[in-house]
Amino acid sequence: MSFTKDMIIADILEKAPETVPMFKSIGMHCLGCAMASGETLEQACAVHGVDADAFLETLNSVVAPQ
């Protein structure tokens, strides 16, 4: 499984709920809000001042099969 910047946050959380702490660690605390249902990972990173490419790389490394 791997994620892309254009994926909706809620879809990522549904597929990989173990990523919740990663989102919270960068200030994305409202993961159940309406924005999470319609905002892409790239959009959320921009709002929170996070490098989307770096976060995506970390996210994918956590959920990648070992």
Side-chain angles (χ1 to χ4, degrees):
M1 167 178 16
S2 96
F3 301 111
T4 61
K5 291 188 290 189
D6 63 339
M7 291 183 75
I8 303 296
I9 293 173
D11 294 339
I12 294 170
L13 297 173
E14 182 179 321
K15 292 177 180 164
E18 68 273 18
T19 62
V20 167
M22 293 179 61
F23 283 95
K24 289 188 175 192
S25 75
I26 61 169
M28 294 185 198
H29 299 283
C30 187
L31 299 173
C33 72
M35 291 305 290
S37 298
E39 195 169 49
T40 66
L41 179 66
E42 186 170 36
Q43 292 168 329
C45 284
V47 167
H48 290 276
V50 174
D51 182 299
D53 292 316
F55 183 69
L56 183 62
E57 185 176 328
T58 302
L59 186 69
N60 281 322
S61 71
V62 168
V63 297
Q66 304 300 319

Short mmCIF file of all heavy atoms in Angstrom, two decimals:
data_model
loop_
_atom_site.label_atom_id
_atom_site.label_comp_id
_atom_site.label_asym_id
_atom_site.label_seq_id
_atom_site.Cartn_x
_atom_site.Cartn_y
_atom_site.Cartn_z
N MET A 1 0.85 -1.17 0.00
CA MET A 1 0.00 0.00 0.00
C MET A 1 0.90 1.23 0.00
O MET A 1 1.87 1.30 0.71
CB MET A 1 -0.88 -0.06 1.25
CG MET A 1 -1.59 1.20 1.56
SD MET A 1 -2.71 1.21 3.00
CE MET A 1 -2.30 -0.21 3.96
N SER A 2 0.54 2.19 -0.83
CA SER A 2 1.26 3.45 -0.79
C SER A 2 0.27 4.57 -1.06
O SER A 2 -0.75 4.38 -1.71
CB SER A 2 2.44 3.44 -1.75
OG SER A 2 2.17 4.01 -2.97
N PHE A 3 0.59 5.72 -0.52
CA PHE A 3 -0.30 6.86 -0.61
C PHE A 3 0.30 7.93 -1.52
O PHE A 3 1.51 7.94 -1.77
CB PHE A 3 -0.54 7.44 0.79
CG PHE A 3 -1.14 6.43 1.72
CD1 PHE A 3 -0.41 5.91 2.78
CD2 PHE A 3 -2.43 5.96 1.53
CE1 PHE A 3 -0.95 4.97 3.63
CE2 PHE A 3 -2.98 5.02 2.38
CZ PHE A 3 -2.24 4.52 3.43
N THR A 4 -0.56 8.83 -1.99
CA THR A 4 -0.13 9.94 -2.83
C THR A 4 -0.65 11.24 -2.24
O THR A 4 -1.56 11.24 -1.40
CB THR A 4 -0.68 9.79 -4.27
OG1 THR A 4 -2.12 9.79 -4.22
CG2 THR A 4 -0.18 8.50 -4.92
N LYS A 5 -0.08 12.36 -2.69
CA LYS A 5 -0.46 13.67 -2.17
C LYS A 5 -1.89 14.05 -2.50
O LYS A 5 -2.48 14.88 -1.83
CB LYS A 5 0.48 14.76 -2.69
CG LYS A 5 1.88 14.66 -2.15
CD LYS A 5 2.72 15.86 -2.55
CE LYS A 5 3.02 15.87 -4.03
NZ LYS A 5 4.00 16.91 -4.39
N ASP A 6 -2.45 13.45 -3.55
CA ASP A 6 -3.81 13.83 -3.95
C ASP A 6 -4.89 12.97 -3.27
O ASP A 6 -6.07 13.13 -3.56
CB ASP A 6 -3.96 13.79 -5.46
CG ASP A 6 -3.77 12.41 -6.06
OD1 ASP A 6 -3.16 11.53 -5.41
OD2 ASP A 6 -4.23 12.20 -7.20
N MET A 7 -4.48 12.11 -2.34
CA MET A 7 -5.46 11.29 -1.63
C MET A 7 -6.11 12.11 -0.52
O MET A 7 -5.49 12.96 0.10
CB MET A 7 -4.80 10.05 -1.03
CG MET A 7 -4.36 9.06 -2.09
SD MET A 7 -3.66 7.56 -1.37
CE MET A 7 -5.16 6.76 -0.81
N ILE A 8 -7.38 11.80 -0.28
CA ILE A 8 -8.15 12.45 0.79
C ILE A 8 -7.68 11.88 2.13
O ILE A 8 -7.50 10.67 2.27
CB ILE A 8 -9.66 12.20 0.58
CG1 ILE A 8 -10.12 12.72 -0.78
CG2 ILE A 8 -10.48 12.79 1.72
CD1 ILE A 8 -9.99 14.20 -0.98
N ILE A 9 -7.53 12.75 3.11
CA ILE A 9 -7.03 12.33 4.42
C ILE A 9 -7.90 11.22 5.02
O ILE A 9 -7.38 10.23 5.54
CB ILE A 9 -6.95 13.52 5.39
CG1 ILE A 9 -5.87 14.48 4.90
CG2 ILE A 9 -6.64 13.07 6.80
CD1 ILE A 9 -5.81 15.77 5.66
N ALA A 10 -9.21 11.37 4.94
CA ALA A 10 -10.10 10.35 5.51
C ALA A 10 -9.87 8.99 4.87
O ALA A 10 -9.95 7.96 5.56
CB ALA A 10 -11.56 10.78 5.35
N ASP A 11 -9.55 8.95 3.59
CA ASP A 11 -9.28 7.68 2.91
C ASP A 11 -7.99 7.05 3.41
O ASP A 11 -7.91 5.84 3.59
CB ASP A 11 -9.20 7.88 1.39
CG ASP A 11 -10.53 8.29 0.78
OD1 ASP A 11 -11.59 8.05 1.42
OD2 ASP A 11 -10.52 8.87 -0.32
N ILE A 12 -6.99 7.88 3.66
CA ILE A 12 -5.73 7.37 4.20
C ILE A 12 -5.96 6.77 5.58
O ILE A 12 -5.50 5.67 5.88
CB ILE A 12 -4.67 8.49 4.26
CG1 ILE A 12 -4.31 8.96 2.85
CG2 ILE A 12 -3.43 8.02 5.03
CD1 ILE A 12 -3.45 10.21 2.81
N LEU A 13 -6.71 7.50 6.42
CA LEU A 13 -6.96 7.03 7.78
C LEU A 13 -7.79 5.75 7.79
O LEU A 13 -7.59 4.89 8.65
CB LEU A 13 -7.66 8.12 8.58
CG LEU A 13 -6.83 9.38 8.79
CD1 LEU A 13 -7.68 10.46 9.45
CD2 LEU A 13 -5.58 9.09 9.59
N GLU A 14 -8.69 5.62 6.84
CA GLU A 14 -9.50 4.40 6.75
C GLU A 14 -8.63 3.19 6.39
O GLU A 14 -8.79 2.12 6.94
CB GLU A 14 -10.59 4.58 5.71
CG GLU A 14 -11.52 3.38 5.59
CD GLU A 14 -12.62 3.60 4.56
OE1 GLU A 14 -13.14 4.74 4.47
OE2 GLU A 14 -12.92 2.64 3.84
N LYS A 15 -7.69 3.40 5.49
CA LYS A 15 -6.82 2.31 5.03
C LYS A 15 -5.69 2.01 6.01
O LYS A 15 -5.20 0.89 6.07
CB LYS A 15 -6.25 2.64 3.66
CG LYS A 15 -7.30 2.65 2.59
CD LYS A 15 -6.75 3.06 1.25
CE LYS A 15 -7.90 3.02 0.26
NZ LYS A 15 -7.69 3.69 -0.94
N ALA A 16 -5.27 3.03 6.75
CA ALA A 16 -4.13 2.86 7.65
C ALA A 16 -4.34 3.67 8.94
O ALA A 16 -3.71 4.71 9.14
CB ALA A 16 -2.84 3.28 6.96
N PRO A 17 -5.23 3.20 9.80
CA PRO A 17 -5.50 3.96 11.03
C PRO A 17 -4.29 4.12 11.94
O PRO A 17 -4.24 5.03 12.76
CB PRO A 17 -6.60 3.14 11.72
CG PRO A 17 -6.61 1.81 11.06
CD PRO A 17 -6.01 1.99 9.70
N GLU A 18 -3.28 3.29 11.73
CA GLU A 18 -2.06 3.41 12.54
C GLU A 18 -1.30 4.70 12.24
O GLU A 18 -0.35 5.05 12.95
CB GLU A 18 -1.15 2.19 12.33
CG GLU A 18 -0.52 2.06 10.96
CD GLU A 18 -1.39 1.33 9.90
OE1 GLU A 18 -2.61 1.20 10.09
OE2 GLU A 18 -0.82 0.92 8.89
N THR A 19 -1.71 5.44 11.22
CA THR A 19 -1.03 6.69 10.87
C THR A 19 -1.56 7.89 11.66
O THR A 19 -0.98 8.97 11.57
CB THR A 19 -1.16 6.99 9.36
OG1 THR A 19 -2.55 7.14 9.02
CG2 THR A 19 -0.54 5.87 8.53
N VAL A 20 -2.61 7.71 12.43
CA VAL A 20 -3.18 8.83 13.20
C VAL A 20 -2.12 9.57 14.01
O VAL A 20 -2.05 10.80 13.95
CB VAL A 20 -4.35 8.35 14.10
CG1 VAL A 20 -4.74 9.42 15.11
CG2 VAL A 20 -5.55 7.97 13.24
N PRO A 21 -1.26 8.88 14.77
CA PRO A 21 -0.25 9.62 15.54
C PRO A 21 0.68 10.47 14.66
O PRO A 21 1.13 11.54 15.08
CB PRO A 21 0.54 8.52 16.26
CG PRO A 21 -0.39 7.36 16.32
CD PRO A 21 -1.21 7.45 15.06
N MET A 22 0.95 10.03 13.45
CA MET A 22 1.80 10.80 12.54
C MET A 22 1.14 12.12 12.18
O MET A 22 1.78 13.16 12.16
CB MET A 22 2.09 10.00 11.27
CG MET A 22 2.95 8.78 11.50
SD MET A 22 3.20 7.90 9.95
CE MET A 22 4.03 9.14 8.99
N PHE A 23 -0.16 12.05 11.87
CA PHE A 23 -0.89 13.27 11.53
C PHE A 23 -0.93 14.21 12.73
O PHE A 23 -0.73 15.42 12.60
CB PHE A 23 -2.31 12.94 11.06
CG PHE A 23 -2.37 12.42 9.66
CD1 PHE A 23 -2.38 11.06 9.40
CD2 PHE A 23 -2.43 13.29 8.59
CE1 PHE A 23 -2.44 10.57 8.10
CE2 PHE A 23 -2.50 12.82 7.28
CZ PHE A 23 -2.50 11.45 7.04
N LYS A 24 -1.20 13.67 13.89
CA LYS A 24 -1.28 14.51 15.10
C LYS A 24 0.08 15.14 15.43
O LYS A 24 0.13 16.26 15.92
CB LYS A 24 -1.81 13.69 16.27
CG LYS A 24 -3.29 13.38 16.10
CD LYS A 24 -3.88 12.74 17.32
CE LYS A 24 -5.38 12.59 17.09
NZ LYS A 24 -6.09 12.24 18.30
N SER A 25 1.15 14.43 15.13
CA SER A 25 2.48 14.96 15.45
C SER A 25 2.84 16.20 14.63
O SER A 25 3.72 16.96 15.02
CB SER A 25 3.55 13.88 15.26
OG SER A 25 3.82 13.67 13.88
N ILE A 26 2.17 16.41 13.51
CA ILE A 26 2.44 17.60 12.69
C ILE A 26 1.33 18.64 12.83
O ILE A 26 1.23 19.55 12.02
CB ILE A 26 2.70 17.24 11.22
CG1 ILE A 26 1.50 16.56 10.59
CG2 ILE A 26 3.95 16.41 11.07
CD1 ILE A 26 1.58 16.42 9.07
N GLY A 27 0.49 18.46 13.84
CA GLY A 27 -0.52 19.47 14.12
C GLY A 27 -1.88 19.23 13.51
O GLY A 27 -2.77 20.07 13.61
N MET A 28 -2.08 18.10 12.88
CA MET A 28 -3.39 17.78 12.31
C MET A 28 -4.19 17.00 13.35
O MET A 28 -4.24 15.78 13.33
CB MET A 28 -3.22 16.96 11.02
CG MET A 28 -2.58 17.71 9.90
SD MET A 28 -2.54 16.73 8.38
CE MET A 28 -1.30 17.59 7.46
N HIS A 29 -4.83 17.75 14.24
CA HIS A 29 -5.55 17.13 15.34
C HIS A 29 -7.01 16.87 15.04
O HIS A 29 -7.64 16.04 15.68
CB HIS A 29 -5.44 18.02 16.59
CG HIS A 29 -4.02 18.19 17.03
ND1 HIS A 29 -3.33 17.22 17.70
CD2 HIS A 29 -3.16 19.22 16.86
CE1 HIS A 29 -2.11 17.64 17.94
NE2 HIS A 29 -1.96 18.85 17.43
N CYS A 30 -7.58 17.55 14.08
CA CYS A 30 -9.00 17.42 13.80
C CYS A 30 -9.24 16.44 12.66
O CYS A 30 -9.76 16.78 11.60
CB CYS A 30 -9.58 18.80 13.46
SG CYS A 30 -11.37 18.78 13.28
N LEU A 31 -8.83 15.21 12.86
CA LEU A 31 -8.90 14.21 11.79
C LEU A 31 -10.32 13.74 11.51
O LEU A 31 -10.58 13.16 10.46
CB LEU A 31 -8.00 13.03 12.13
CG LEU A 31 -6.52 13.40 12.26
CD1 LEU A 31 -5.72 12.21 12.76
CD2 LEU A 31 -5.97 13.92 10.96
N GLY A 32 -11.25 13.99 12.40
CA GLY A 32 -12.63 13.60 12.17
C GLY A 32 -13.50 14.74 11.67
O GLY A 32 -14.69 14.58 11.45
N CYS A 33 -12.91 15.90 11.46
CA CYS A 33 -13.69 17.06 11.03
C CYS A 33 -14.05 16.96 9.54
O CYS A 33 -13.54 16.12 8.81
CB CYS A 33 -12.95 18.35 11.32
SG CYS A 33 -11.53 18.65 10.25
N ALA A 34 -14.90 17.87 9.13
CA ALA A 34 -15.37 17.87 7.74
C ALA A 34 -14.23 18.06 6.75
O ALA A 34 -14.26 17.51 5.64
CB ALA A 34 -16.41 18.97 7.55
N MET A 35 -13.21 18.82 7.12
CA MET A 35 -12.10 19.04 6.20
C MET A 35 -11.37 17.75 5.87
O MET A 35 -10.92 17.55 4.74
CB MET A 35 -11.11 20.06 6.78
CG MET A 35 -11.67 21.47 6.86
SD MET A 35 -12.30 22.11 5.28
CE MET A 35 -10.78 22.31 4.40
N ALA A 36 -11.25 16.84 6.83
CA ALA A 36 -10.56 15.57 6.59
C ALA A 36 -11.28 14.73 5.56
O ALA A 36 -10.69 13.89 4.89
CB ALA A 36 -10.40 14.79 7.90
N SER A 37 -12.58 14.98 5.40
CA SER A 37 -13.37 14.21 4.44
C SER A 37 -13.25 14.74 3.02
O SER A 37 -13.65 14.07 2.08
CB SER A 37 -14.84 14.22 4.84
OG SER A 37 -15.01 13.61 6.09
N GLY A 38 -12.71 15.94 2.85
CA GLY A 38 -12.63 16.51 1.52
C GLY A 38 -11.29 17.12 1.16
O GLY A 38 -11.11 17.59 0.05
N GLU A 39 -10.37 17.12 2.10
CA GLU A 39 -9.08 17.75 1.87
C GLU A 39 -8.03 16.71 1.51
O GLU A 39 -7.95 15.65 2.14
CB GLU A 39 -8.68 18.48 3.16
CG GLU A 39 -7.56 19.46 3.01
CD GLU A 39 -7.40 20.32 4.25
OE1 GLU A 39 -7.36 19.77 5.37
OE2 GLU A 39 -7.32 21.55 4.09
N THR A 40 -7.22 17.02 0.53
CA THR A 40 -6.15 16.10 0.16
C THR A 40 -4.99 16.24 1.14
O THR A 40 -4.88 17.23 1.86
CB THR A 40 -5.62 16.40 -1.26
OG1 THR A 40 -4.98 17.68 -1.26
CG2 THR A 40 -6.72 16.31 -2.30
N LEU A 41 -4.13 15.27 1.11
CA LEU A 41 -2.94 15.32 1.95
C LEU A 41 -2.11 16.56 1.63
O LEU A 41 -1.64 17.26 2.53
CB LEU A 41 -2.11 14.05 1.74
CG LEU A 41 -0.82 13.97 2.54
CD1 LEU A 41 -1.12 13.89 4.03
CD2 LEU A 41 -0.01 12.78 2.10
N GLU A 42 -1.97 16.87 0.36
CA GLU A 42 -1.19 18.03 -0.05
C GLU A 42 -1.81 19.33 0.46
O GLU A 42 -1.10 20.22 0.96
CB GLU A 42 -1.06 18.08 -1.57
CG GLU A 42 -0.15 19.17 -2.07
CD GLU A 42 0.15 19.05 -3.55
OE1 GLU A 42 -0.75 18.64 -4.32
OE2 GLU A 42 1.28 19.37 -3.92
N GLN A 43 -3.12 19.45 0.37
CA GLN A 43 -3.81 20.65 0.86
C GLN A 43 -3.63 20.81 2.37
O GLN A 43 -3.36 21.90 2.86
CB GLN A 43 -5.29 20.59 0.52
CG GLN A 43 -5.58 20.70 -0.96
CD GLN A 43 -7.02 20.34 -1.30
OE1 GLN A 43 -7.64 19.51 -0.64
NE2 GLN A 43 -7.54 20.96 -2.35
N ALA A 44 -3.80 19.72 3.10
CA ALA A 44 -3.67 19.76 4.56
C ALA A 44 -2.25 20.13 4.97
O ALA A 44 -2.05 20.92 5.90
CB ALA A 44 -4.07 18.42 5.17
N CYS A 45 -1.28 19.57 4.28
CA CYS A 45 0.11 19.90 4.58
C CYS A 45 0.37 21.38 4.35
O CYS A 45 1.05 22.04 5.15
CB CYS A 45 1.06 19.05 3.75
SG CYS A 45 1.20 17.34 4.34
N ALA A 46 -0.16 21.93 3.27
CA ALA A 46 0.03 23.35 2.97
C ALA A 46 -0.56 24.22 4.07
O ALA A 46 0.07 25.18 4.52
CB ALA A 46 -0.61 23.70 1.62
N VAL A 47 -1.75 23.87 4.55
CA VAL A 47 -2.40 24.64 5.60
C VAL A 47 -1.61 24.59 6.90
O VAL A 47 -1.54 25.56 7.64
CB VAL A 47 -3.84 24.12 5.83
CG1 VAL A 47 -4.45 24.67 7.11
CG2 VAL A 47 -4.72 24.43 4.64
N HIS A 48 -0.99 23.45 7.16
CA HIS A 48 -0.26 23.26 8.41
C HIS A 48 1.23 23.56 8.30
O HIS A 48 1.98 23.34 9.25
CB HIS A 48 -0.48 21.83 8.93
CG HIS A 48 -1.88 21.59 9.41
ND1 HIS A 48 -2.29 21.92 10.67
CD2 HIS A 48 -2.96 21.09 8.78
CE1 HIS A 48 -3.57 21.62 10.81
NE2 HIS A 48 -4.00 21.13 9.66
N GLY A 49 1.66 24.05 7.15
CA GLY A 49 3.06 24.43 6.98
C GLY A 49 4.02 23.25 6.99
O GLY A 49 5.15 23.36 7.47
N VAL A 50 3.57 22.13 6.44
CA VAL A 50 4.36 20.90 6.43
C VAL A 50 4.77 20.58 5.00
O VAL A 50 3.95 20.72 4.07
CB VAL A 50 3.54 19.72 7.02
CG1 VAL A 50 4.26 18.41 6.89
CG2 VAL A 50 3.19 20.01 8.48
N ASP A 51 5.99 20.16 4.80
CA ASP A 51 6.46 19.73 3.47
C ASP A 51 5.73 18.45 3.09
O ASP A 51 5.94 17.40 3.70
CB ASP A 51 7.96 19.51 3.51
CG ASP A 51 8.52 19.11 2.16
OD1 ASP A 51 8.10 18.05 1.64
OD2 ASP A 51 9.37 19.82 1.64
N ALA A 52 4.85 18.53 2.10
CA ALA A 52 4.02 17.39 1.72
C ALA A 52 4.85 16.21 1.22
O ALA A 52 4.55 15.05 1.53
CB ALA A 52 3.01 17.80 0.65
N ASP A 53 5.90 16.48 0.47
CA ASP A 53 6.73 15.39 -0.05
C ASP A 53 7.44 14.64 1.08
O ASP A 53 7.47 13.41 1.08
CB ASP A 53 7.76 15.92 -1.06
CG ASP A 53 7.11 16.43 -2.33
OD1 ASP A 53 6.20 15.74 -2.85
OD2 ASP A 53 7.50 17.51 -2.80
N ALA A 54 7.96 15.38 2.03
CA ALA A 54 8.66 14.74 3.15
C ALA A 54 7.69 13.94 4.02
O ALA A 54 7.98 12.82 4.42
CB ALA A 54 9.37 15.79 4.00
N PHE A 55 6.51 14.53 4.29
CA PHE A 55 5.53 13.82 5.11
C PHE A 55 5.05 12.57 4.39
O PHE A 55 4.90 11.51 4.99
CB PHE A 55 4.35 14.73 5.46
CG PHE A 55 3.36 14.07 6.37
CD1 PHE A 55 3.68 13.79 7.68
CD2 PHE A 55 2.09 13.73 5.91
CE1 PHE A 55 2.77 13.17 8.54
CE2 PHE A 55 1.18 13.11 6.74
CZ PHE A 55 1.52 12.83 8.07
N LEU A 56 4.81 12.68 3.10
CA LEU A 56 4.36 11.53 2.32
C LEU A 56 5.40 10.41 2.34
O LEU A 56 5.06 9.23 2.48
CB LEU A 56 4.07 11.96 0.88
CG LEU A 56 3.52 10.90 -0.04
CD1 LEU A 56 2.16 10.40 0.46
CD2 LEU A 56 3.38 11.46 -1.44
N GLU A 57 6.66 10.77 2.23
CA GLU A 57 7.72 9.77 2.26
C GLU A 57 7.72 9.03 3.61
O GLU A 57 7.81 7.80 3.66
CB GLU A 57 9.08 10.44 2.03
CG GLU A 57 10.22 9.47 1.93
CD GLU A 57 11.53 10.17 1.61
OE1 GLU A 57 11.52 11.20 0.90
OE2 GLU A 57 12.58 9.69 2.08
N THR A 58 7.58 9.78 4.68
CA THR A 58 7.53 9.18 6.01
C THR A 58 6.29 8.31 6.15
O THR A 58 6.36 7.19 6.66
CB THR A 58 7.55 10.28 7.09
OG1 THR A 58 8.72 11.06 6.93
CG2 THR A 58 7.53 9.66 8.48
N LEU A 59 5.16 8.83 5.72
CA LEU A 59 3.89 8.10 5.79
C LEU A 59 4.01 6.77 5.06
O LEU A 59 3.64 5.72 5.60
CB LEU A 59 2.79 8.96 5.20
CG LEU A 59 1.36 8.46 5.30
CD1 LEU A 59 0.90 8.51 6.75
CD2 LEU A 59 0.44 9.31 4.44
N ASN A 60 4.52 6.80 3.85
CA ASN A 60 4.64 5.57 3.07
C ASN A 60 5.65 4.60 3.67
O ASN A 60 5.48 3.38 3.57
CB ASN A 60 4.98 5.89 1.61
CG ASN A 60 3.75 6.32 0.84
OD1 ASN A 60 2.66 5.81 1.02
ND2 ASN A 60 3.93 7.29 -0.02
N SER A 61 6.68 5.11 4.31
CA SER A 61 7.67 4.21 4.92
C SER A 61 7.08 3.49 6.13
O SER A 61 7.47 2.34 6.41
CB SER A 61 8.93 4.96 5.31
OG SER A 61 8.70 5.80 6.42
N VAL A 62 6.15 4.13 6.81
CA VAL A 62 5.52 3.50 7.98
C VAL A 62 4.55 2.40 7.58
O VAL A 62 4.47 1.36 8.24
CB VAL A 62 4.80 4.57 8.83
CG1 VAL A 62 3.89 3.95 9.87
CG2 VAL A 62 5.83 5.48 9.49
N VAL A 63 3.82 2.60 6.49
CA VAL A 63 2.82 1.61 6.10
C VAL A 63 3.33 0.59 5.09
O VAL A 63 2.63 -0.35 4.77
CB VAL A 63 1.54 2.29 5.55
CG1 VAL A 63 0.88 3.12 6.63
CG2 VAL A 63 1.82 3.11 4.32
N ALA A 64 4.55 0.78 4.60
CA ALA A 64 5.12 -0.16 3.63
C ALA A 64 5.36 -1.51 4.29
O ALA A 64 5.75 -1.57 5.45
CB ALA A 64 6.43 0.38 3.08
N PRO A 65 5.11 -2.58 3.55
CA PRO A 65 5.40 -3.91 4.12
C PRO A 65 6.88 -4.06 4.44
O PRO A 65 7.73 -3.58 3.71
CB PRO A 65 4.98 -4.87 3.01
CG PRO A 65 4.72 -4.06 1.80
CD PRO A 65 4.66 -2.61 2.20
N GLN A 66 7.15 -4.69 5.53
CA GLN A 66 8.53 -4.89 5.99
C GLN A 66 9.15 -6.11 5.36
O GLN A 66 8.61 -7.08 5.10
CB GLN A 66 8.57 -5.00 7.50
CG GLN A 66 7.95 -3.81 8.22
CD GLN A 66 8.64 -2.50 7.90
OE1 GLN A 66 9.85 -2.42 7.81
NE2 GLN A 66 7.87 -1.45 7.70
#
